[in-house]
Amino acid sequence: MSQWRRSEFTGNGIAAGVRPDGREPEEVQQWLHQRLVRQLDPAVISDSSGRKSREAIESAARALLSVDAPQIIGETKEEIIAAVVDEIAGYGPIDPLVRDPQISEIMVNAPDLVYFERDGRLYESPLQFRDAAHVMRVVERILAPLGRRIDEASPMVDARLPDGSRVNVIIPPLAPDSPILTIRKFRTDRYGLDDLITIGTLNDETVAFLRACITARINVLISGGTGTGKTTLLNALSACLGAGERIVTIEDPLELQLRQRHVVRLEARPPGIEGRGEVTQRDLFRNALRMRPDRIIVGEVRGGEAFDMMQAMNTGHEGSMSTLHANSPRDALARIENMVLVAGYDIPISAIREQIASAIHLVVQIARMPDGARRVTHITEIAGMEGPTVTTQDIYRYVITGSMGAGPVAGYFETTGVRPRFADRLQAFGFDLHTETFARGRRF
Ligand SMILES: Nc1ncnc2c1ncn2[C@@H]1O[C@H](COP(=O)(O)OP(=O)(O)OP(=O)(O)O)[C@@H](O)[C@H]1O
Ligand SMILES: [Mg+2]
């Protein structure tokens, strides 16, 4: 059995039955925890998300403390009770972070090193686990109700919690220092396009442009680094999809929240415990083609489905949207090329590039600024092929003018002088097009 699974209470010398008189608060807390776990109805413990069970655990804890540890009073008593309730019904020490709606991500790097993200910035939290086994116990409690397991045989897990939050866990020996837990909380207050304008990720004109692109069934790829807001932007842009369209989404795991009524959601499935039963995004994509989709949206393209997507986009399935992990529009294309290559078809690279050049029309690049804000930095057209290379041309760019240091980043969007090949199509779909619209160096 792995060292991480060993109970953290072995060997601390406190038996659950013995009164904890004269002990340190920390020891009383461990004693109380053990007593409660033995005493409480397992149903109360396993239904740990409910408010009722928190209350039940709290009142049982209060009763036990007053009888068996009457010396513990006041603030110390409240702290012990809160910690034990978090431990049994919640996420242990990081429970306050999980419950704080201002916090978007929680990262446990080591038992004594917890970070969180708020308003786009990372902070170190004073909250700590006792040791690696303690982290593991919380991880196991998160995963067990999901029917997922983590151990040396499968030391990485990516899972979705019932509330939509995402959890990733990786343990030794892959992460040699400690089990690492990353939680991305599900936001119910999703950003809409108006919000993205208000916080400066986009502005009125770039939104109007993208709206027309989507209505005109331009194939759009949203590209950016990790956590830069790609999925959020895709979600917001999905508001531009027509109500009369049949939309099929493919995700791994589910994240999108489309507002339309006619949406079919498909979610990939990881292999089961015996390594069987995996359903990939690629399998789902092929199935989706048989479901009479008007649009197929792949939450994030990362594998063999890229090949099928390119083919589908080239054979009449237009108006697709997807996100992809890349640091520039050019890099995005290189990644797609790589994914197609890895899918293992015996196709010359020139043919793959031609497919990509004709399938993808537009790349929207998003980035995280040093001040934590997210901004669309490039809106780039795929212009075609020049010899063996796929050519790209920026249509809009964000130019940074000030403060790459600690303060807020200042800058403006500008046009580059490139008129997209599909400009007339955009006008037909309501984009206000003047002779000046795509003139070089217009700032706004
Ligand atoms: N425009 C934005 N402004 C500020 N914060 C944002 C913005 N978009 C997203 N965020 C925040 O950034 C975090 C990551 O967002 P999101 O999941 O959309 O990013 P992502 O690029 O898709 O990440 P991943 O690389 O994991 O797929 C979330 O906590 C989200 O609330
Ligand atoms: Mg994403």
Side-chain angles (χ1 to χ4, degrees):
M1 176 122 309
S2 139
Q3 56 170 320
W4 311 105
R5 286 174 160 269
R6 207 175 48 210
S7 160
E8 71 212 18
F9 294 128
T10 49
N12 65 11
I14 304 179
V18 178
R19 273 174 70 113
D21 292 340
R23 304 269 187 183
E24 292 294 313
E26 169 114 338
E27 289 176 303
V28 174
Q29 183 181 323
Q30 296 192 13
W31 165 85
L32 181 63
H33 184 165
Q34 271 186 306
R35 276 294 298 267
L36 285 169
V37 170
R38 287 186 185 191
Q39 165 183 332
L40 288 167
D41 180 353
V44 167
I45 296 177
S46 59
D47 168 40
S48 54
S49 54
R51 201 164 53 89
K52 271 224 181 76
S53 67
R54 289 190 79 91
E55 282 167 8
I57 295 165
E58 184 182 330
S59 65
R62 219 169 264 294
L64 274 174
L65 274 188
S66 354
V67 174
D68 283 334
Q71 81 280 10
I72 303 275
I73 50 166
E75 219 170 278
T76 315
K77 179 173 178 175
E78 295 311 312
E79 275 171 17
I80 289 180
I81 291 173
V84 169
V85 172
D86 285 348
E87 204 64 46
I88 297 177
Y91 291 73
I94 56 169
D95 205 70
L97 303 180
V98 175
R99 278 184 284 136
D100 184 342
Q102 304 295 320
I103 290 178
S104 51
E105 302 206 33
I106 301 155
M107 291 139 272
V108 178
N109 285 15
D112 57 352
L113 196 54
V114 175
Y115 290 95
F116 62 88
E117 180 176 318
R118 186 170 49 211
D119 295 332
R121 281 186 184 251
L122 284 180
Y123 299 89
E124 188 179 333
S125 163
L127 300 171
Q128 297 190 351
F129 291 82
R130 273 188 294 279
D131 51 25
H134 189 193
V135 179
M136 267 322 272
R137 215 162 48 83
V138 170
V139 162
E140 280 163 8
R141 213 190 24 250
I142 296 173
L143 296 181
L146 309 174
R148 304 292 294 277
R149 209 169 67 180
I150 189 154
D151 52 30
E152 275 151 33
S154 53
M156 288 187 275
V157 167
D158 201 27
R160 178 170 49 87
L161 299 179
D163 74 347
S165 300
R166 262 164 63 174
V167 172
N168 180 276
V169 187
I170 180 161
I171 60 170
L174 303 186
D177 300 325
S178 162
I180 313 277
L181 167 66
T182 313
I183 301 176
R184 165 159 317 156
K185 294 208 282 180
F186 185 74
R187 297 184 65 110
T188 41
D189 57 327
R190 282 280 167 175
Y191 296 101
L193 286 171
D194 289 343
D195 303 314
L196 294 182
I197 292 172
T198 310
I199 59 179
T201 300
L202 286 157
N203 64 9
D204 287 335
E205 180 168 333
T206 43
V207 164
F209 176 80
L210 292 175
R211 186 187 295 281
C213 287
I214 290 164
T215 319
R217 309 187 76 86
I218 300 296
N219 292 324
V220 178
L221 209 54
I222 297 169
S223 156
T226 309
T228 45
K230 303 180 290 294
T231 302
T232 303
L233 179 58
L234 175 57
N235 231 339
L237 286 173
S238 74
C240 308
L241 298 171
E245 293 181 297
R246 175 167 169 84
I247 303 162
V248 180
T249 65
I250 295 172
E251 297 179 82
D252 179 15
L254 293 182
E255 270 187 308
L256 296 173
Q257 293 173 283
L258 269 48
R259 305 247 161 79
Q260 286 78 4
R261 195 169 148 74
H262 197 155
V263 177
V264 179
R265 303 198 300 163
L266 304 178
E267 185 181 31
R269 186 172 70 186
I273 286 168
E274 310 83 34
R276 286 198 302 268
E278 180 176 19
V279 178
T280 63
Q281 291 204 120
R282 180 169 199 187
D283 301 328
L284 295 179
F285 193 91
R286 290 176 167 184
N287 197 80
L289 289 172
R290 297 182 205 120
M291 296 170 75
R292 198 218 160 270
D294 286 314
R295 308 243 192 187
I296 303 181
I297 296 182
V298 178
E300 179 182 330
V301 17
R302 40 169 109 91
E305 69 277 4
F307 176 81
D308 305 74
M309 275 174 68
M310 294 306 114
Q311 279 208 321
M313 288 172 175
N314 275 322
T315 51
H317 286 279
E318 296 204 309
S320 299
M321 286 198 275
S322 185
T323 76
L324 162 143
H325 192 159
N327 294 323
S328 70
R330 287 219 65 84
D331 184 28
L333 300 180
R335 293 209 175 224
I336 293 269
E337 183 179 313
N338 209 35
M339 289 177 208
V340 174
L341 276 175
V342 171
Y345 285 89
D346 194 15
I347 310 171
I349 188 113
S350 57
I352 294 176
R353 289 189 182 153
E354 267 165 38
Q355 276 223 338
I356 293 173
S358 60
I360 301 167
H361 303 129
L362 196 72
V363 178
V364 179
Q365 183 72 33
I366 185 166
R368 184 202 303 244
M369 301 283 117
D371 62 355
R374 271 53 163 201
R375 201 151 274 145
V376 166
T377 56
H378 301 81
I379 298 181
T380 303
E381 176 188 32
I382 312 307
M385 297 284 294
E386 234 166 61
T389 358
V390 182
T391 52
T392 60
Q393 287 183 313
D394 295 340
I395 301 168
Y396 293 101
R397 253 194 312 248
Y398 188 79
V399 180
I400 293 172
T401 52
S403 191
M404 288 297 275
V409 170
Y412 54 83
F413 286 97
E414 72 169 14
T415 47
T416 58
V418 169
R419 180 187 156 93
R421 291 188 299 170
F422 47 79
D424 295 338
R425 204 161 137 193
L426 296 187
Q427 191 167 27
F429 283 94
F431 184 61
D432 192 11
L433 197 66
H434 309 288
T435 39
E436 285 299 295
T437 306
F438 295 112
R440 186 187 177 86
R442 195 165 54 78
R443 299 177 178 187
F444 52 95

